[in-house]
Amino acid sequence: MGKDDPKTANLLYGKLAGRLTSLLQWEPDLRNDGSPIWMSLLAEGRWPSGREYEWTMVPSAAEAVRNWSDGL
């Protein structure tokens, strides 16, 4: 993406996940304040000690990306 700022990646992945949830008619997980966690469609998150929050793509999403990219 040409940026060192993780906010750029988070924004783009969040937008992608938001669009996918609409297409799939899927309800994302919600934060305590009721706002959607769009990334919960694509990834699981964790907060490692002393580091920034990390997202790891869920296996089904990774497989879908692999299958899609094989068709290009």
Side-chain angles (χ1 to χ4, degrees):
M1 287 181 239
K3 306 262 184 188
D4 289 333
D5 183 5
K7 290 179 185 177
T8 301
N10 289 343
L11 178 64
L12 293 173
Y13 284 127
K15 284 183 176 186
L16 170 63
R19 289 178 182 167
L20 288 173
T21 58
S22 289
L23 289 171
L24 300 173
Q25 298 179 349
W26 182 81
E27 294 293 324
D29 294 341
L30 301 176
R31 293 181 183 85
N32 291 337
D33 67 3
S35 63
I37 306 171
W38 299 115
M39 285 294 293
S40 63
L41 173 68
L42 300 175
E44 295 174 340
R46 68 185 189 100
W47 205 299
S49 180
R51 296 178 45 193
E52 293 203 23
Y53 197 80
E54 289 182 359
W55 290 102
T56 302
M57 189 175 284
V58 295
S60 57
E63 182 65 24
V65 169
R66 274 192 295 276
N67 290 339
W68 175 76
S69 65
D70 287 345
L72 295 178

mmCIF file of all heavy atoms in Angstrom, residues 2-47:
data_model
loop_
_atom_site.group_PDB
_atom_site.id
_atom_site.type_symbol
_atom_site.label_atom_id
_atom_site.label_comp_id
_atom_site.label_asym_id
_atom_site.label_seq_id
_atom_site.Cartn_x
_atom_site.Cartn_y
_atom_site.Cartn_z
ATOM 1 N N GLY A 2 2.137 1.088 0.217
ATOM 2 C CA GLY A 2 3.027 2.232 0.165
ATOM 3 C C GLY A 2 2.993 3.112 1.392
ATOM 4 O O GLY A 2 3.494 4.228 1.354
ATOM 5 N N LYS A 3 2.420 2.640 2.486
ATOM 6 C CA LYS A 3 2.341 3.425 3.722
ATOM 7 C C LYS A 3 2.847 2.584 4.882
ATOM 8 O O LYS A 3 2.639 1.387 4.925
ATOM 9 C CB LYS A 3 0.900 3.843 4.021
ATOM 10 C CG LYS A 3 0.206 4.568 2.904
ATOM 11 C CD LYS A 3 0.251 6.024 3.135
ATOM 12 C CE LYS A 3 -0.549 6.710 2.025
ATOM 13 N NZ LYS A 3 -0.423 8.113 2.038
ATOM 14 N N ASP A 4 3.524 3.244 5.820
ATOM 15 C CA ASP A 4 3.984 2.552 7.024
ATOM 16 C C ASP A 4 2.957 2.618 8.153
ATOM 17 O O ASP A 4 3.095 1.963 9.160
ATOM 18 C CB ASP A 4 5.296 3.162 7.522
ATOM 19 C CG ASP A 4 6.460 2.835 6.601
ATOM 20 O OD1 ASP A 4 6.411 1.787 5.923
ATOM 21 O OD2 ASP A 4 7.415 3.625 6.549
ATOM 22 N N ASP A 5 1.922 3.409 7.963
ATOM 23 C CA ASP A 5 0.915 3.629 8.991
ATOM 24 C C ASP A 5 -0.124 2.506 8.959
ATOM 25 O O ASP A 5 -0.801 2.316 7.952
ATOM 26 C CB ASP A 5 0.246 4.978 8.733
ATOM 27 C CG ASP A 5 -0.778 5.352 9.774
ATOM 28 O OD1 ASP A 5 -0.923 4.624 10.768
ATOM 29 O OD2 ASP A 5 -1.426 6.392 9.589
ATOM 30 N N PRO A 6 -0.280 1.753 10.067
ATOM 31 C CA PRO A 6 -1.273 0.668 10.065
ATOM 32 C C PRO A 6 -2.703 1.169 9.922
ATOM 33 O O PRO A 6 -3.593 0.415 9.540
ATOM 34 C CB PRO A 6 -1.066 -0.031 11.409
ATOM 35 C CG PRO A 6 -0.340 0.939 12.261
ATOM 36 C CD PRO A 6 0.441 1.827 11.339
ATOM 37 N N LYS A 7 -2.937 2.450 10.184
ATOM 38 C CA LYS A 7 -4.293 2.990 10.055
ATOM 39 C C LYS A 7 -4.787 2.893 8.618
ATOM 40 O O LYS A 7 -5.965 2.669 8.372
ATOM 41 C CB LYS A 7 -4.336 4.445 10.523
ATOM 42 C CG LYS A 7 -4.168 4.595 12.013
ATOM 43 C CD LYS A 7 -4.192 6.052 12.404
ATOM 44 C CE LYS A 7 -3.907 6.194 13.888
ATOM 45 N NZ LYS A 7 -3.843 7.591 14.294
ATOM 46 N N THR A 8 -3.882 3.039 7.658
ATOM 47 C CA THR A 8 -4.267 2.949 6.244
ATOM 48 C C THR A 8 -4.762 1.545 5.923
ATOM 49 O O THR A 8 -5.820 1.377 5.312
ATOM 50 C CB THR A 8 -3.078 3.316 5.337
ATOM 51 O OG1 THR A 8 -2.652 4.636 5.648
ATOM 52 C CG2 THR A 8 -3.450 3.222 3.871
ATOM 53 N N ALA A 9 -4.006 0.537 6.339
ATOM 54 C CA ALA A 9 -4.423 -0.849 6.096
ATOM 55 C C ALA A 9 -5.728 -1.150 6.818
ATOM 56 O O ALA A 9 -6.629 -1.771 6.246
ATOM 57 C CB ALA A 9 -3.332 -1.812 6.553
ATOM 58 N N ASN A 10 -5.846 -0.707 8.064
ATOM 59 C CA ASN A 10 -7.077 -0.955 8.820
ATOM 60 C C ASN A 10 -8.279 -0.337 8.130
ATOM 61 O O ASN A 10 -9.349 -0.950 8.060
ATOM 62 C CB ASN A 10 -6.948 -0.398 10.243
ATOM 63 C CG ASN A 10 -5.990 -1.199 11.093
ATOM 64 O OD1 ASN A 10 -5.655 -2.321 10.779
ATOM 65 N ND2 ASN A 10 -5.537 -0.599 12.165
ATOM 66 N N LEU A 11 -8.121 0.871 7.622
ATOM 67 C CA LEU A 11 -9.215 1.549 6.928
ATOM 68 C C LEU A 11 -9.630 0.777 5.674
ATOM 69 O O LEU A 11 -10.816 0.527 5.443
ATOM 70 C CB LEU A 11 -8.808 2.973 6.561
ATOM 71 C CG LEU A 11 -9.843 3.791 5.794
ATOM 72 C CD1 LEU A 11 -11.081 4.024 6.639
ATOM 73 C CD2 LEU A 11 -9.245 5.114 5.364
ATOM 74 N N LEU A 12 -8.644 0.368 4.875
ATOM 75 C CA LEU A 12 -8.956 -0.344 3.638
ATOM 76 C C LEU A 12 -9.569 -1.719 3.896
ATOM 77 O O LEU A 12 -10.548 -2.105 3.253
ATOM 78 C CB LEU A 12 -7.710 -0.467 2.772
ATOM 79 C CG LEU A 12 -7.183 0.854 2.213
ATOM 80 C CD1 LEU A 12 -5.849 0.641 1.516
ATOM 81 C CD2 LEU A 12 -8.185 1.486 1.273
ATOM 82 N N TYR A 13 -9.001 -2.464 4.831
ATOM 83 C CA TYR A 13 -9.559 -3.776 5.159
ATOM 84 C C TYR A 13 -10.954 -3.641 5.767
ATOM 85 O O TYR A 13 -11.843 -4.440 5.500
ATOM 86 C CB TYR A 13 -8.653 -4.551 6.109
ATOM 87 C CG TYR A 13 -7.442 -5.137 5.439
ATOM 88 C CD1 TYR A 13 -6.162 -4.895 5.920
ATOM 89 C CD2 TYR A 13 -7.570 -5.948 4.323
ATOM 90 C CE1 TYR A 13 -5.044 -5.427 5.306
ATOM 91 C CE2 TYR A 13 -6.457 -6.492 3.694
ATOM 92 C CZ TYR A 13 -5.202 -6.234 4.194
ATOM 93 O OH TYR A 13 -4.105 -6.768 3.588
ATOM 94 N N GLY A 14 -11.144 -2.613 6.582
ATOM 95 C CA GLY A 14 -12.461 -2.376 7.164
ATOM 96 C C GLY A 14 -13.502 -2.066 6.104
ATOM 97 O O GLY A 14 -14.639 -2.541 6.165
ATOM 98 N N LYS A 15 -13.124 -1.262 5.111
ATOM 99 C CA LYS A 15 -14.049 -0.952 4.012
ATOM 100 C C LYS A 15 -14.386 -2.208 3.220
ATOM 101 O O LYS A 15 -15.543 -2.432 2.855
ATOM 102 C CB LYS A 15 -13.449 0.108 3.091
ATOM 103 C CG LYS A 15 -13.498 1.493 3.674
ATOM 104 C CD LYS A 15 -12.969 2.506 2.684
ATOM 105 C CE LYS A 15 -13.097 3.903 3.217
ATOM 106 N NZ LYS A 15 -12.713 4.919 2.225
ATOM 107 N N LEU A 16 -13.376 -3.029 2.935
ATOM 108 C CA LEU A 16 -13.612 -4.283 2.221
ATOM 109 C C LEU A 16 -14.572 -5.164 3.011
ATOM 110 O O LEU A 16 -15.553 -5.684 2.471
ATOM 111 C CB LEU A 16 -12.298 -5.021 1.978
ATOM 112 C CG LEU A 16 -12.423 -6.452 1.454
ATOM 113 C CD1 LEU A 16 -13.077 -6.475 0.078
ATOM 114 C CD2 LEU A 16 -11.063 -7.124 1.430
ATOM 115 N N ALA A 17 -14.306 -5.330 4.293
ATOM 116 C CA ALA A 17 -15.158 -6.178 5.129
ATOM 117 C C ALA A 17 -16.572 -5.618 5.200
ATOM 118 O O ALA A 17 -17.546 -6.376 5.163
ATOM 119 C CB ALA A 17 -14.556 -6.312 6.519
ATOM 120 N N GLY A 18 -16.706 -4.297 5.283
ATOM 121 C CA GLY A 18 -18.030 -3.689 5.302
ATOM 122 C C GLY A 18 -18.812 -3.988 4.039
ATOM 123 O O GLY A 18 -20.014 -4.280 4.080
ATOM 124 N N ARG A 19 -18.147 -3.926 2.905
ATOM 125 C CA ARG A 19 -18.820 -4.241 1.632
ATOM 126 C C ARG A 19 -19.203 -5.714 1.558
ATOM 127 O O ARG A 19 -20.278 -6.072 1.085
ATOM 128 C CB ARG A 19 -17.920 -3.865 0.465
ATOM 129 C CG ARG A 19 -17.787 -2.373 0.300
ATOM 130 C CD ARG A 19 -16.867 -2.014 -0.828
ATOM 131 N NE ARG A 19 -16.726 -0.573 -0.919
ATOM 132 C CZ ARG A 19 -15.811 0.028 -1.627
ATOM 133 N NH1 ARG A 19 -14.939 -0.669 -2.337
ATOM 134 N NH2 ARG A 19 -15.737 1.349 -1.650
ATOM 135 N N LEU A 20 -18.297 -6.574 2.015
ATOM 136 C CA LEU A 20 -18.590 -8.009 1.993
ATOM 137 C C LEU A 20 -19.765 -8.360 2.888
ATOM 138 O O LEU A 20 -20.586 -9.208 2.539
ATOM 139 C CB LEU A 20 -17.363 -8.813 2.407
ATOM 140 C CG LEU A 20 -16.234 -8.877 1.397
ATOM 141 C CD1 LEU A 20 -15.021 -9.567 1.999
ATOM 142 C CD2 LEU A 20 -16.679 -9.579 0.134
ATOM 143 N N THR A 21 -19.862 -7.712 4.054
ATOM 144 C CA THR A 21 -20.983 -8.018 4.939
ATOM 145 C C THR A 21 -22.306 -7.668 4.280
ATOM 146 O O THR A 21 -23.293 -8.383 4.448
ATOM 147 C CB THR A 21 -20.872 -7.298 6.303
ATOM 148 O OG1 THR A 21 -20.803 -5.895 6.090
ATOM 149 C CG2 THR A 21 -19.683 -7.776 7.085
ATOM 150 N N SER A 22 -22.318 -6.591 3.487
ATOM 151 C CA SER A 22 -23.542 -6.228 2.757
ATOM 152 C C SER A 22 -23.873 -7.269 1.694
ATOM 153 O O SER A 22 -25.015 -7.698 1.565
ATOM 154 C CB SER A 22 -23.386 -4.863 2.095
ATOM 155 O OG SER A 22 -23.384 -3.855 3.055
ATOM 156 N N LEU A 23 -22.866 -7.661 0.929
ATOM 157 C CA LEU A 23 -23.085 -8.648 -0.135
ATOM 158 C C LEU A 23 -23.553 -9.989 0.411
ATOM 159 O O LEU A 23 -24.403 -10.653 -0.176
ATOM 160 C CB LEU A 23 -21.807 -8.852 -0.943
ATOM 161 C CG LEU A 23 -21.385 -7.715 -1.858
ATOM 162 C CD1 LEU A 23 -19.981 -7.978 -2.408
ATOM 163 C CD2 LEU A 23 -22.371 -7.561 -2.997
ATOM 164 N N LEU A 24 -22.978 -10.387 1.539
ATOM 165 C CA LEU A 24 -23.282 -11.695 2.114
ATOM 166 C C LEU A 24 -24.454 -11.649 3.097
ATOM 167 O O LEU A 24 -24.850 -12.687 3.621
ATOM 168 C CB LEU A 24 -22.041 -12.248 2.828
ATOM 169 C CG LEU A 24 -20.808 -12.452 1.948
ATOM 170 C CD1 LEU A 24 -19.610 -12.837 2.805
ATOM 171 C CD2 LEU A 24 -21.078 -13.505 0.886
ATOM 172 N N GLN A 25 -24.980 -10.446 3.334
ATOM 173 C CA GLN A 25 -26.045 -10.249 4.314
ATOM 174 C C GLN A 25 -25.661 -10.866 5.655
ATOM 175 O O GLN A 25 -26.407 -11.627 6.260
ATOM 176 C CB GLN A 25 -27.368 -10.794 3.795
ATOM 177 C CG GLN A 25 -27.821 -10.096 2.551
ATOM 178 C CD GLN A 25 -29.112 -10.631 1.994
ATOM 179 O OE1 GLN A 25 -29.619 -11.668 2.407
ATOM 180 N NE2 GLN A 25 -29.667 -9.908 1.036
ATOM 181 N N TRP A 26 -24.470 -10.537 6.106
ATOM 182 C CA TRP A 26 -23.883 -11.087 7.322
ATOM 183 C C TRP A 26 -23.838 -10.002 8.382
ATOM 184 O O TRP A 26 -23.554 -8.845 8.079
ATOM 185 C CB TRP A 26 -22.475 -11.588 6.999
ATOM 186 C CG TRP A 26 -21.751 -12.220 8.137
ATOM 187 C CD1 TRP A 26 -21.892 -13.489 8.585
ATOM 188 C CD2 TRP A 26 -20.754 -11.612 8.947
ATOM 189 N NE1 TRP A 26 -21.048 -13.712 9.636
ATOM 190 C CE2 TRP A 26 -20.340 -12.569 9.879
ATOM 191 C CE3 TRP A 26 -20.178 -10.342 8.980
ATOM 192 C CZ2 TRP A 26 -19.375 -12.312 10.833
ATOM 193 C CZ3 TRP A 26 -19.212 -10.085 9.926
ATOM 194 C CH2 TRP A 26 -18.819 -11.064 10.837
ATOM 195 N N GLU A 27 -24.093 -10.349 9.615
ATOM 196 C CA GLU A 27 -24.058 -9.400 10.722
ATOM 197 C C GLU A 27 -22.695 -9.474 11.417
ATOM 198 O O GLU A 27 -22.332 -10.525 11.945
ATOM 199 C CB GLU A 27 -25.159 -9.718 11.739
ATOM 200 C CG GLU A 27 -26.557 -9.509 11.201
ATOM 201 C CD GLU A 27 -26.863 -8.047 10.912
ATOM 202 O OE1 GLU A 27 -26.401 -7.169 11.670
ATOM 203 O OE2 GLU A 27 -27.558 -7.790 9.915
ATOM 204 N N PRO A 28 -21.953 -8.376 11.432
ATOM 205 C CA PRO A 28 -20.646 -8.387 12.096
ATOM 206 C C PRO A 28 -20.792 -8.394 13.618
ATOM 207 O O PRO A 28 -21.851 -8.062 14.153
ATOM 208 C CB PRO A 28 -20.008 -7.077 11.631
ATOM 209 C CG PRO A 28 -21.165 -6.170 11.385
ATOM 210 C CD PRO A 28 -22.258 -7.070 10.851
ATOM 211 N N ASP A 29 -19.723 -8.787 14.299
ATOM 212 C CA ASP A 29 -19.691 -8.670 15.754
ATOM 213 C C ASP A 29 -19.816 -7.190 16.114
ATOM 214 O O ASP A 29 -19.504 -6.311 15.305
ATOM 215 C CB ASP A 29 -18.372 -9.215 16.308
ATOM 216 C CG ASP A 29 -18.216 -10.713 16.093
ATOM 217 O OD1 ASP A 29 -19.230 -11.395 15.849
ATOM 218 O OD2 ASP A 29 -17.077 -11.197 16.181
ATOM 219 N N LEU A 30 -20.255 -6.919 17.339
ATOM 220 C CA LEU A 30 -20.429 -5.542 17.793
ATOM 221 C C LEU A 30 -19.526 -5.232 18.980
ATOM 222 O O LEU A 30 -19.257 -6.103 19.803
ATOM 223 C CB LEU A 30 -21.887 -5.297 18.199
ATOM 224 C CG LEU A 30 -22.945 -5.528 17.121
ATOM 225 C CD1 LEU A 30 -24.334 -5.332 17.719
ATOM 226 C CD2 LEU A 30 -22.725 -4.611 15.933
ATOM 227 N N ARG A 31 -19.077 -3.985 19.030
ATOM 228 C CA ARG A 31 -18.328 -3.502 20.186
ATOM 229 C C ARG A 31 -19.301 -3.259 21.340
ATOM 230 O O ARG A 31 -20.513 -3.297 21.153
ATOM 231 C CB ARG A 31 -17.612 -2.186 19.841
ATOM 232 C CG ARG A 31 -16.522 -2.341 18.826
ATOM 233 C CD ARG A 31 -15.836 -0.981 18.566
ATOM 234 N NE ARG A 31 -14.829 -1.118 17.541
ATOM 235 C CZ ARG A 31 -15.066 -1.054 16.229
ATOM 236 N NH1 ARG A 31 -16.283 -0.808 15.784
ATOM 237 N NH2 ARG A 31 -14.090 -1.226 15.363
ATOM 238 N N ASN A 32 -18.762 -2.992 22.511
ATOM 239 C CA ASN A 32 -19.599 -2.715 23.684
ATOM 240 C C ASN A 32 -20.533 -1.534 23.448
ATOM 241 O O ASN A 32 -21.633 -1.491 24.010
ATOM 242 C CB ASN A 32 -18.744 -2.458 24.918
ATOM 243 C CG ASN A 32 -18.042 -3.714 25.391
ATOM 244 O OD1 ASN A 32 -18.479 -4.820 25.107
ATOM 245 N ND2 ASN A 32 -16.955 -3.546 26.106
ATOM 246 N N ASP A 33 -20.107 -0.572 22.614
ATOM 247 C CA ASP A 33 -20.947 0.599 22.351
ATOM 248 C C ASP A 33 -21.968 0.350 21.240
ATOM 249 O O ASP A 33 -22.718 1.239 20.857
ATOM 250 C CB ASP A 33 -20.098 1.825 22.019
ATOM 251 C CG ASP A 33 -19.338 1.716 20.701
ATOM 252 O OD1 ASP A 33 -19.488 0.697 19.974
ATOM 253 O OD2 ASP A 33 -18.579 2.653 20.394
ATOM 254 N N GLY A 34 -21.992 -0.876 20.692
ATOM 255 C CA GLY A 34 -22.954 -1.240 19.654
ATOM 256 C C GLY A 34 -22.486 -1.006 18.235
ATOM 257 O O GLY A 34 -23.185 -1.362 17.288
ATOM 258 N N SER A 35 -21.306 -0.420 18.055
ATOM 259 C CA SER A 35 -20.800 -0.172 16.702
ATOM 260 C C SER A 35 -20.248 -1.476 16.106
ATOM 261 O O SER A 35 -19.742 -2.335 16.828
ATOM 262 C CB SER A 35 -19.725 0.922 16.711
ATOM 263 O OG SER A 35 -18.605 0.529 17.476
ATOM 264 N N PRO A 36 -20.358 -1.635 14.773
ATOM 265 C CA PRO A 36 -19.924 -2.878 14.134
ATOM 266 C C PRO A 36 -18.405 -3.018 14.080
ATOM 267 O O PRO A 36 -17.691 -2.031 13.930
ATOM 268 C CB PRO A 36 -20.496 -2.776 12.725
ATOM 269 C CG PRO A 36 -20.652 -1.318 12.488
ATOM 270 C CD PRO A 36 -20.936 -0.695 13.815
ATOM 271 N N ILE A 37 -17.950 -4.243 14.214
ATOM 272 C CA ILE A 37 -16.538 -4.572 14.023
ATOM 273 C C ILE A 37 -16.462 -5.251 12.665
ATOM 274 O O ILE A 37 -16.580 -6.468 12.540
ATOM 275 C CB ILE A 37 -16.005 -5.512 15.130
ATOM 276 C CG1 ILE A 37 -16.266 -4.923 16.506
ATOM 277 C CG2 ILE A 37 -14.512 -5.786 14.917
ATOM 278 C CD1 ILE A 37 -15.962 -5.872 17.652
ATOM 279 N N TRP A 38 -16.323 -4.453 11.608
ATOM 280 C CA TRP A 38 -16.371 -4.972 10.240
ATOM 281 C C TRP A 38 -15.346 -6.075 10.008
ATOM 282 O O TRP A 38 -15.611 -7.047 9.314
ATOM 283 C CB TRP A 38 -16.172 -3.848 9.234
ATOM 284 C CG TRP A 38 -17.219 -2.805 9.306
ATOM 285 C CD1 TRP A 38 -17.037 -1.498 9.663
ATOM 286 C CD2 TRP A 38 -18.609 -2.947 9.042
ATOM 287 N NE1 TRP A 38 -18.234 -0.827 9.644
ATOM 288 C CE2 TRP A 38 -19.225 -1.697 9.251
ATOM 289 C CE3 TRP A 38 -19.412 -4.007 8.650
ATOM 290 C CZ2 TRP A 38 -20.578 -1.478 9.087
ATOM 291 C CZ3 TRP A 38 -20.767 -3.784 8.483
ATOM 292 C CH2 TRP A 38 -21.335 -2.547 8.687
ATOM 293 N N MET A 39 -14.171 -5.937 10.597
ATOM 294 C CA MET A 39 -13.101 -6.916 10.373
ATOM 295 C C MET A 39 -13.442 -8.298 10.907
ATOM 296 O O MET A 39 -12.798 -9.271 10.552
ATOM 297 C CB MET A 39 -11.798 -6.436 11.012
ATOM 298 C CG MET A 39 -11.120 -5.333 10.231
ATOM 299 S SD MET A 39 -10.547 -5.894 8.620
ATOM 300 C CE MET A 39 -9.260 -7.024 9.120
ATOM 301 N N SER A 40 -14.458 -8.407 11.775
ATOM 302 C CA SER A 40 -14.780 -9.719 12.341
ATOM 303 C C SER A 40 -15.248 -10.706 11.275
ATOM 304 O O SER A 40 -15.280 -11.901 11.518
ATOM 305 C CB SER A 40 -15.817 -9.595 13.462
ATOM 306 O OG SER A 40 -17.051 -9.095 12.986
ATOM 307 N N LEU A 41 -15.584 -10.219 10.080
ATOM 308 C CA LEU A 41 -15.911 -11.109 8.967
ATOM 309 C C LEU A 41 -14.659 -11.800 8.437
ATOM 310 O O LEU A 41 -14.693 -12.962 8.054
ATOM 311 C CB LEU A 41 -16.566 -10.322 7.832
ATOM 312 C CG LEU A 41 -16.810 -11.069 6.524
ATOM 313 C CD1 LEU A 41 -17.872 -12.151 6.720
ATOM 314 C CD2 LEU A 41 -17.227 -10.126 5.430
ATOM 315 N N LEU A 42 -13.547 -11.080 8.433
ATOM 316 C CA LEU A 42 -12.321 -11.559 7.801
ATOM 317 C C LEU A 42 -11.257 -12.053 8.755
ATOM 318 O O LEU A 42 -10.387 -12.829 8.358
ATOM 319 C CB LEU A 42 -11.700 -10.428 6.959
ATOM 320 C CG LEU A 42 -12.545 -9.857 5.838
ATOM 321 C CD1 LEU A 42 -11.818 -8.680 5.205
ATOM 322 C CD2 LEU A 42 -12.850 -10.920 4.806
ATOM 323 N N ALA A 43 -11.266 -11.568 9.988
ATOM 324 C CA ALA A 43 -10.120 -11.822 10.861
ATOM 325 C C ALA A 43 -10.524 -11.907 12.324
ATOM 326 O O ALA A 43 -11.593 -11.462 12.719
ATOM 327 C CB ALA A 43 -9.093 -10.710 10.676
ATOM 328 N N GLU A 44 -9.607 -12.487 13.097
ATOM 329 C CA GLU A 44 -9.739 -12.510 14.549
ATOM 330 C C GLU A 44 -8.651 -11.606 15.102
ATOM 331 O O GLU A 44 -7.542 -11.569 14.573
ATOM 332 C CB GLU A 44 -9.558 -13.933 15.066
ATOM 333 C CG GLU A 44 -10.651 -14.863 14.597
ATOM 334 C CD GLU A 44 -10.408 -16.308 14.989
ATOM 335 O OE1 GLU A 44 -9.252 -16.675 15.289
ATOM 336 O OE2 GLU A 44 -11.379 -17.066 14.981
ATOM 337 N N GLY A 45 -8.982 -10.869 16.147
ATOM 338 C CA GLY A 45 -8.018 -9.925 16.687
ATOM 339 C C GLY A 45 -7.547 -10.281 18.079
ATOM 340 O O GLY A 45 -8.212 -11.015 18.806
ATOM 341 N N ARG A 46 -6.374 -9.750 18.407
ATOM 342 C CA ARG A 46 -5.831 -9.930 19.753
ATOM 343 C C ARG A 46 -4.894 -8.761 20.038
ATOM 344 O O ARG A 46 -4.395 -8.106 19.117
ATOM 345 C CB ARG A 46 -5.112 -11.260 19.907
ATOM 346 C CG ARG A 46 -3.827 -11.369 19.117
ATOM 347 C CD ARG A 46 -3.223 -12.781 19.222
ATOM 348 N NE ARG A 46 -1.899 -12.796 18.647
ATOM 349 C CZ ARG A 46 -0.771 -12.746 19.342
ATOM 350 N NH1 ARG A 46 -0.821 -12.691 20.650
ATOM 351 N NH2 ARG A 46 0.389 -12.758 18.752
ATOM 352 N N TRP A 47 -4.672 -8.513 21.301
ATOM 353 C CA TRP A 47 -3.810 -7.418 21.718
ATOM 354 C C TRP A 47 -2.615 -8.006 22.464
ATOM 355 O O TRP A 47 -2.678 -8.198 23.676
ATOM 356 C CB TRP A 47 -4.556 -6.463 22.635
ATOM 357 C CG TRP A 47 -3.987 -5.088 22.610
ATOM 358 C CD1 TRP A 47 -2.721 -4.735 22.963
ATOM 359 C CD2 TRP A 47 -4.634 -3.914 22.189
ATOM 360 N NE1 TRP A 47 -2.553 -3.386 22.795
ATOM 361 C CE2 TRP A 47 -3.718 -2.854 22.324
ATOM 362 C CE3 TRP A 47 -5.899 -3.631 21.719
ATOM 363 C CZ2 TRP A 47 -4.026 -1.553 22.005
ATOM 364 C CZ3 TRP A 47 -6.206 -2.333 21.408
ATOM 365 C CH2 TRP A 47 -5.287 -1.304 21.546
#
